[in-house]
Amino acid sequence: MSQVNRISGGQIDRAQEFKFTFNGKAMQGHPGDTLASALLANGQRLVGRSFKYHRPRGIFTAGSEEPNALVELRSGAHQEPNTRATVTELFDGLQAKSQNHRGSLEHDLMAVTDFMSPFLSAGFYYKTFMWPRAFWEKLYEPIIRKSAGLGRLSMQEDPDIYDKGYLHCDLLVIGAGPTGLVAALTAGRAGARVILADEDFTLGGRLNSETLEVGGVPGAGWAKEALVELAAMDNVRLMSRTTVYGAYDHGVYGALERCTDHLASSGGKPRQILWRVTSKRAVLAAGATERPIAFGNNDRPGVMLAGSVRSYANRYGVTPGQQVAVFTNNDDGWRTAADLVAKGVHVPAIIDVRDAPAVCDVPGARHIRNAGVVDTIGRKGLKSVTLTDGQVIPVDCLAVSGGWNPNVHLTCHQRGRPAWRDDISAFVPGRDLPPGMAVAGAANGAMTLAAAMAEGQSVANTQIEALGYKPSKADLPRAEDEPRECVPYWHVRESTKRGWLDLQNDVTVKDVRQSHREGFRSVEHLKRYTTLGMATDQGKTANIPALAIMAECTGKTIPETGTTIFRPPYTPVPIGALGGRSRGRDFRPYRLTPSHNWAKENGATFVEVGNWLRAQWFARPGEKGWRDSVDREVLATRKSVGICDVTTLGKIDVQGKDAAAFLNKVYANGFAKLAVGRVRYGLMLREDGIAYDDGTTARMSENHFVMTTTTANAVLVFRRLEFARQCLWPDMDVHLISTTDGWAQFAVAGPNARNLLRKVVDEAHDLSNEAFPFMACGEVTVCNGTPARLFRISFSGELAYEVAVPARYGNAMMDVLMRAGREFDATPYGTEALGVMRIEKGHAAGNELNGQTTAHNLGMGKMVSQTKECIGNVLSQRPEMVREDAVKLVGFRPVEKDRGLIAGSHFITRGDKAIMDNDQGWMSSVAFSPSLGHSVGLGFIKNGDTRMGEIVRAVSPVHGTEMEVEIVSAHFIDPAGDRLRA
Amino acid sequence: MIINHPLLGPRDAAEFVYLGDASLIERPDWQADDAAEAFHAYGYLRDNPAGKHAELWYHEQGDRSWLVVTRDTTTHEITSVEMARDVARAKGRSK
Amino acid sequence: MPEYTLTSAAPLAGTDISVAGTRLMAPADLAIVSVALPLGEEKPAGKAIRAAYGVALPEVGKSSLAKDDSRLVRLGSDLAFVIFVHPTPDAERVVAARLKGAAYTTDQTDVWVALDLSGPSARRALERICPIDLHPDVFAIGDSARTMMEHLGTLIIRTGDDSYRLLSGSSSAGSFLHAIETSLANIT
Amino acid sequence: MRYSALKILREGLTGNKGWKPVWREPDPKPEYDIVIIGGGGHGLATAYYLAREFGMRNIAVLEKGWIGSGNIGRNTTIIRSNYMLPGNEPFYEMSLKLWEGLEQDFNYNAMVSQRSILNLFHTDAQRDAFVRRANAMFLAGADAELATTEQLRAELPFLDYENARFPIKGGLFQRRGGTVRHDAVAWGYARGADERGVDIIQNCEVTGFDIENGKCRGVQTSRGAIRARKVAVCVAGSSGRVMAQAGMRLPIESHVLQAFVTEGLKPVLPGVITFGAGHFYVSQSDKGGLVFGGDIDGYNSYAQRGNLPVVEDVAEGGMAIMPMIGRARLLRSWGGIMDMSMDGSPFIDKTDIDGLYFNGGWCYGGFKATPASGMCYAHLLAKDTPHPVATQMRLDRFRRGNLIDEKGQGNQPNLH
């Protein structure tokens, strides 16, 4: 049998065998194994290399605190770097590779760094690599970069899908060990809505790893019974494989459920789900994490935490070694020895730093008291340990226990600070817990089983009582108060070799001492200078011992020296899971215009405008590029008639007795006296006097207006209007509702616009210039009775209308307009032609209304009323904003007509150097005008309105070009406006 | 964060849009002699307290109401939530 | 007389999907009209609504069903929707006529697209996208909430034990359907 | 103590026992010429340049906690000078030039790495705005480079070109942009200032200003009163709190910005990349972690922590632009308090109180500004006139209407 380290018992299914590979080597395991337990079972001790010194490393723990056993899991696009073998469920066909070595795992060329370690002490890189200057980026940094990092990304798109969800509960119980099980039972029985979440795939926590009894049966058995009871409760949700990774404001917790990570394939289902749990209360029952003791070469494969060794033996039926010594400062370490011996594993020695009698009888084990381990032998796998008195004990595994740290992490996520407790030599949750959270069990320093379970009950009762549930008084099953005495002991002082604290980042006792020597004495300086606790395990096993050593250096107590607090996440969370479904084309929703299908069928190229997709142009056969299409659309529109879907403009229904007065306050120009049946252009300012948005507003009846906004600002304008109505003028009777999606709206523009519409609008409506002049509006019907709205407004400068029909008729309306327009050669046009025509006409759009320009800059200063109360008019008059020499919006044309203007060019007066001090302004929008046969531009230039005819340089150094341009009126087409009034 | 809407009950803050200090309700008189200075202070100067802060939130993905939320900027604890319209009226704002 | 007629093509019309006993379908000919209560005249407006529909204007976050199966949904302190079956594009006029000028009405029919989700997995599917607590003790039949699902503003109404009506913007109908379909696919 | 390869060799051979504290731990003197409040990057840089450029030595830097504990120690380490407006761009370009010579200047390797910064654009309007910006950068003597989608495909093949909701239409590179090891900047300035006689006093919280007849004559601290000819506040993140002690309201709101780092990975990203259709920017540190961030949480906060919606929004942006990072795991998140100013630009100015100076309002862009901020603040403190590249960074600019609003968002700090 290749599973040389399998022993009896454990919660694995020996009837079924899983095959897997590690670095290509075939191995076997069973359902219920983790990758780590299976590797140990197969006798694989060397599993990885450390970050800095590339030291050979083995499995150190049996949980998510693992610093060493990180692998690249799976292959191809599914490759998952830095995966902890200790929490990876084994599945059939699993592939894993070790990481961070050049050459093989056994013969890592980078291991040479270990021999250079005297020169690579804490912070060495801050003191060198500076000469010569260019060498840092060309030589030193590339080398550092290449050697840094651990696992590799596949560089391919993550092929799995992820989902998210929302959960709500009265009580969230975090951790399903004995404490959490009791807390969930207590609250569940009382009728509270409970979620019990645990990161493990088998609930029960340490009960699964211990031989302790509960209620007269093995703890693991009791846990199974409790889970059966909980599973039967409608009001309880059990969530295994679910890590509650962050405590956020107001009872919101982040939780990651791993749905298919234990399967060979996700089968097209979400790999993981990110849950946002909204809880009224929470019980943190996250248990405790064992910490190591530092001594010389304590990082060899085979040196492990004692509680983890016990987990492997009891839960997985695996012994990490055949000769396992225990090194401890506390009673708990002894249980590892006892449990191993009970399973037939030889324990040659129990080395206890205390000068105290044996905790229990361990047959065959020598009790060496008042002693410590100073060194180890066995570079790629432990062979022996050397004790303080010089004796050497041959072992292939050393189980180390330095005591247990309560898992206070989530109590710190809102910057709560843990408090020190001398009796257990550990930090426990402080007073400033996240609101709604209570802590119970080992996480709260209740270190024995009986005490933890009792606290689980009492804390759960307190929590649910506050929510109005009756507390449960049921008797708890009998459990032990097992011996847990522990003395503070952090490192073996007699040791002269390097003793590791942070195994992954290679931070040793010496590094902490050097950090102290150089003045990096605050905990945060220590972490930042040495990189302590910055590795993937976030210092779960390293931080407290390092703090203790810093305390030794400073001569202060540990709590005086400081604490480390923890930030989310508790364990790392894939970015894919945090992103959920919002990726690729599903990153944001698509908004489609009502005539989208028509446009698609008619050759439209679409462009993203916010979340909208709009037709950009409609290519026809034979056209060589987009310019051909756009030029044709512009010319056809100006010649006869063009049609454009303008549904995306925001539409807001404004109703109420005070609607007119309200509009008069939110627009800079007057609206109080707009007549029914008329439309007006409106300019909206921000309160700071900057131009914000523009559009037309139509008065449909005395108390009813229809406002349009720009596409980009539809939501923002609505928000501002609600602010004005609710917060500034709360007694105005005015009501707002968006109808943007409700009406399909089409611009019909060109000399034949009226003739075309005449064929579509029902006869009862007089469209003559007299009856329906420029800036008229009204409700009409089209195509035999379909209700519609008609506005005579023009963005193109042509005779133009906008006609709106209920959105469901939008696609048909486009089709009807085109069919009715056949005799006029009606042309659909897209946003490009729209843009060309507005530039030709000198209308400002987003590039001009960019949030930085004033009405004064835009040449609309006179529109801003100073005789009424309106948003923005006061601050618009600040001295620097109404300067005479401010930039003004004007037109530009190239002196050499065949040259194309460049948007984003800056203007420099002829003869001046192109430097920032001489910057006169910038070109904001350009287009090729097919009507004029040359490029036209809009731009802002100092004193522009007084410089007509002047020739300046438009420079674009980023393109390496400049050209001479003439300042002209922005109205390139029909400056008198005859066409639109025709 | 969870905002306990006076009409709708607890709602996730992600449904809301934040504006800023609730003093933005107190828009100065545009005709006052010191209007320029008053609007400067209104538009630009903030108490920005480390502690209780009355602030404006808009329930954009909800009932479109503006709320005045009193929240501690050091702990994020929310101690009161009012309809901004009621607050505005209480401050004497009208038409 | 124009020679053209317009045919209606509402987004998602005809959608009817079943996944593991849970049905997702687009109700036909649903009309939606918003009713805004005039400031200071909320009481007469409320009376007019009661007179027109035989039920009182519900509290904010609730809805009520009128005798003619119109559903009145209160979205905010001064805003409600009337949702009813009405195929022709004149729903606003119908409601305005019934209210006799006591409130401001706006046609919202084409602003929205509706999907009815019903069946044993409905709540589990919504759990993936809906931030609102839909536990039956918390979100009773008739309760409604406007919220955000997959970046889309959505109005959810619980219409039965296991059934919900969802309304979202009509321009993003495709993405809306995709969000719910994905939820159904992901839970099965 | 001068750092050199030789020194490291010598120390390595003798057990690294000869290293000395990087800065002294002096007790505060009763009086200084200049007291700088805030031992962050800007405060330490100010002290350093006062000493080095202006020969002033009788200076104290007061830090309430440990130096570098503010935003210099909790940012995403990016340096760049890709600004557009005349009030900003020359300042940031000067800063970038100072970064380029910094390490030799203060003999400390802060790992200034000019790996380039790329801003992606996704619409024509964005392109136009980037061209305007790029040209402004040239006019100020900076570098800029437009890249087409084809060029980007060749250089950054892992971006999503095929399936993106908002297709990439190009990008604006600043090749001289990059990253710096942030903590080392604080330590390097501290070391340089300390060597020149500046007292860096940690665990010394300012509790009040001594203002007599409109003149600031010193400060009260948790370690006693300290007199000073000039008091220079430089506490971004706490500006509101500190200046309230002098009775001043500021055009600043405090907001929280979260930042994130993944587990260490072998090199995947060449430089800094910024998404233009969502909130996400990312670089890879020398240790291998992807360092990334996005938008601020959006509400006033002094809590140095944020909430989930922004975490998700940032991750969505990341997945949208480079879906190959899906299996990289977020290791740690943190929050910094940003002085969000009313136009998104900072202040380096005298106050109305004689002898009291203010530096703040850096929004989330303070890190890259550290050298120039220190230089310009030192200039102002030493000469009582603004440095030529910081003439517009005045507190009264809103009263005058001279806005420096790069984003065009107006007086709503959380939008900048």
Side-chain angles (χ1 to χ4, degrees), chain A residues 914-916, chain D residues 81 89 93 97 135-143 176:
Chain A
I915 56 168
M916 195 155 248
Chain D
S81 70
E89 177 58 16
E93 177 54 22
K97 290 200 168 84
N135 286 329
M137 291 162 69
F138 270 99
L139 296 188
D143 67 305
R176 288 164 61 242

Side-chain angles (χ1 to χ4, degrees), chain A residues 80 82 100 126 130 137 141 145 148 158 249 276 517 525 528 538 573 589 611 852 878 880 906, chain D residues 16 67 73 104 109 113-114 132 165 181 264 266 284 286 307 312 329-331 398 400 405:
Chain A
E80 195 191 328
N82 305 332
N100 200 36
Y126 300 128
M130 288 177 273
E137 268 166 36
E141 194 187 26
R145 274 195 172 246
D158 186 345
D249 277 317
R276 284 77 52 112
R517 209 171 285 137
H525 278 154
R528 288 155 189 268
Q538 295 244 51
V573 179
N611 283 348
Q852 297 167 325
R878 284 178 284 173
E880 297 275 348
H906 287 243
Chain D
N16 284 304
I67 62 164
Q104 287 69 31
N109 187 356
S113 177
Q114 293 182 283
R132 179 185 167 201
R165 173 67 181 83
R181 169 81 184 103
K266 291 297 176 200
Q284 188 167 18
D286 279 342
N307 276 292
E312 296 179 45
R329 298 189 199 88
L330 170 83
L331 173 64
F398 302 115
R400 291 183 286 111
D405 187 350

Side-chain angles (χ1 to χ4, degrees), chain A residues 43 58-59 68 90 165 167 169 382 396 424 429 434 492 580 677 814 934 966:
Chain A
I59 292 157
N68 284 345
L90 195 68
L167 297 176
C169 62
L382 188 65
D396 57 359
I424 57 170
V492 183
M814 186 70 196
H934 62 78
E966 184 185 349

Side-chain angles (χ1 to χ4, degrees), chain D residues 43-234:
Chain D
L44 294 166
T46 303
Y48 174 77
Y49 290 117
L50 274 169
R52 207 203 63 175
E53 295 290 313
F54 301 98
M56 301 184 71
R57 302 288 162 105
N58 188 21
I59 297 167
V61 178
L62 311 183
E63 167 54 49
K64 78 173 169 185
W66 39 280
I67 62 164
S69 56
N71 291 330
I72 191 85
R74 45 181 76 234
N75 60 75
T76 45
T77 78
I78 295 167
I79 59 167
R80 58 185 172 91
S81 70
N82 54 359
Y83 283 73
M84 182 170 77
L85 299 175
N88 274 333
E89 177 58 16
F91 172 88
Y92 286 102
E93 177 54 22
M94 181 177 98
S95 204
L96 194 49
K97 290 200 168 84
L98 287 169
W99 281 119
E100 287 170 333
L102 188 64
E103 292 151 329
Q104 287 69 31
D105 191 284
F106 64 23
N107 178 231
Y108 203 76
N109 187 356
M111 303 181 200
V112 175
S113 177
Q114 293 182 283
R115 325 186 55 75
S116 86
I117 179 165
L118 168 67
N119 289 90
L120 295 168
F121 55 80
H122 308 263
T123 68
D124 291 349
Q126 270 184 326
R127 181 204 56 214
D128 293 349
F130 274 131
V131 171
R132 179 185 167 201
R133 172 188 302 241
N135 286 329
M137 291 162 69
F138 270 99
L139 296 188
D143 67 305
E145 184 185 319
L146 287 170
T148 63
T149 312
E150 288 64 40
Q151 288 167 320
L152 293 175
R153 268 180 203 269
E155 196 166 332
L156 306 164
F158 53 83
L159 298 182
D160 189 351
Y161 300 97
E162 307 307 326
N163 197 34
R165 173 67 181 83
F166 299 103
I168 297 166
K169 296 210 166 160
L172 173 65
F173 274 110
Q174 183 175 31
R175 300 283 182 187
R176 288 164 61 242
T179 57
V180 180
R181 169 81 184 103
H182 57 346
D183 290 321
V185 177
W187 302 337
Y189 276 124
R191 179 166 170 271
D194 176 88
E195 276 179 347
R196 288 166 175 80
V198 173
D199 282 355
I200 295 168
I201 302 161
Q202 301 187 89
N203 300 307
C204 179
E205 182 170 6
V206 170
T207 54
F209 294 92
D210 291 328
I211 296 168
E212 298 158 19
N213 304 321
K215 181 164 173 47
C216 185
R217 299 185 179 280
V219 291
Q220 296 291 323
T221 78
S222 55
R223 296 175 69 172
I226 303 174
R227 306 275 293 177
R229 287 200 300 114
K230 292 179 178 176
V231 174
V233 176
C234 197

Side-chain angles (χ1 to χ4, degrees), chain A residues 452-719:
Chain A
M453 290 175 70
E455 202 168 90
Q457 184 183 48
S458 65
V459 167
N461 271 333
T462 311
Q463 290 289 61
I464 60 169
E465 252 189 296
L467 300 176
Y469 293 95
K470 259 182 82 167
S472 150
K473 297 276 193 288
D475 285 341
L476 285 172
R478 193 168 38 77
E480 282 181 57
D481 264 325
E482 72 277 20
R484 296 294 296 232
E485 217 157 274
C486 176
V487 297
Y489 189 92
W490 312 101
H491 69 122
V492 183
R493 283 162 199 255
E494 295 86 344
S495 202
T496 54
K497 302 282 175 59
R498 281 177 294 167
W500 265 258
L501 295 162
D502 188 317
L503 287 166
Q504 190 178 128
N505 272 355
D506 284 323
V507 180
T508 65
V509 174
K510 285 181 181 174
D511 290 318
V512 175
R513 288 188 178 136
Q514 187 190 330
S515 177
H516 172 260
R517 209 171 285 137
E518 295 196 73
F520 295 96
R521 290 163 194 178
S522 100
V523 180
E524 286 295 330
H525 278 154
L526 167 67
K527 287 171 70 172
R528 288 155 189 268
Y529 193 59
T530 63
T531 76
L532 172 88
M534 302 291 199
T536 62
D537 58 314
Q538 295 244 51
K540 287 191 175 74
T541 58
N543 283 351
I544 305 297
L547 186 61
I549 289 159
M550 180 57 84
E552 260 178 39
C553 294
T554 56
K556 292 182 187 165
T557 65
I558 290 173
E560 281 168 354
T561 304
T563 77
T564 60
I565 70 165
F566 302 90
R567 304 186 181 107
Y570 174 64
T571 55
V573 179
I575 295 175
L578 290 164
R581 301 181 192 174
S582 300
R583 54 190 275 206
R585 304 225 185 237
D586 292 338
F587 171 56
R588 292 292 179 263
Y590 281 99
R591 296 182 79 182
L592 305 183
T593 67
S595 67
H596 184 82
N597 286 341
W598 187 93
K600 215 160 116 186
E601 288 158 14
N602 286 274
T605 295
F606 293 99
V607 63
E608 295 74 19
V609 181
N611 283 348
W612 290 98
L613 278 189
R614 297 189 71 180
Q616 198 171 9
W617 62 81
F618 295 81
R620 286 201 181 155
E623 289 176 342
K624 290 193 191 70
W626 64 272
R627 262 284 303 283
D628 287 356
S629 310
V630 174
D631 288 357
R632 171 183 49 72
E633 289 169 17
V634 170
L635 290 172
T637 300
R638 295 224 184 272
K639 184 175 166 219
S640 178
V641 61
I643 299 155
C644 183
D645 188 331
V646 294
T647 301
T648 62
L649 293 177
K651 307 178 200 76
I652 302 170
D653 226 35
V654 184
Q655 294 197 71
K657 289 186 281 295
D658 297 314
F662 178 75
L663 292 172
N664 206 40
K665 288 185 193 291
V666 298
Y667 277 124
N669 51 323
F671 266 80
K673 293 181 184 128
L674 180 65
V676 172
R678 284 290 180 275
V679 188
R680 183 168 292 171
Y681 173 82
L683 176 68
M684 235 176 244
L685 303 183
R686 287 194 312 235
E687 191 67 274
D688 67 354
I690 298 286
Y692 183 60
D693 198 69
D694 66 349
T696 56
T697 287
R699 191 167 200 167
M700 308 306 287
S701 68
E702 184 62 23
N703 293 335
H704 183 196
F705 294 78
V706 171
M707 173 188 284
T708 64
T709 72
T710 61
T711 301
N713 285 335
V715 170
L716 306 176
V717 167
F718 194 95
R719 189 188 297 163

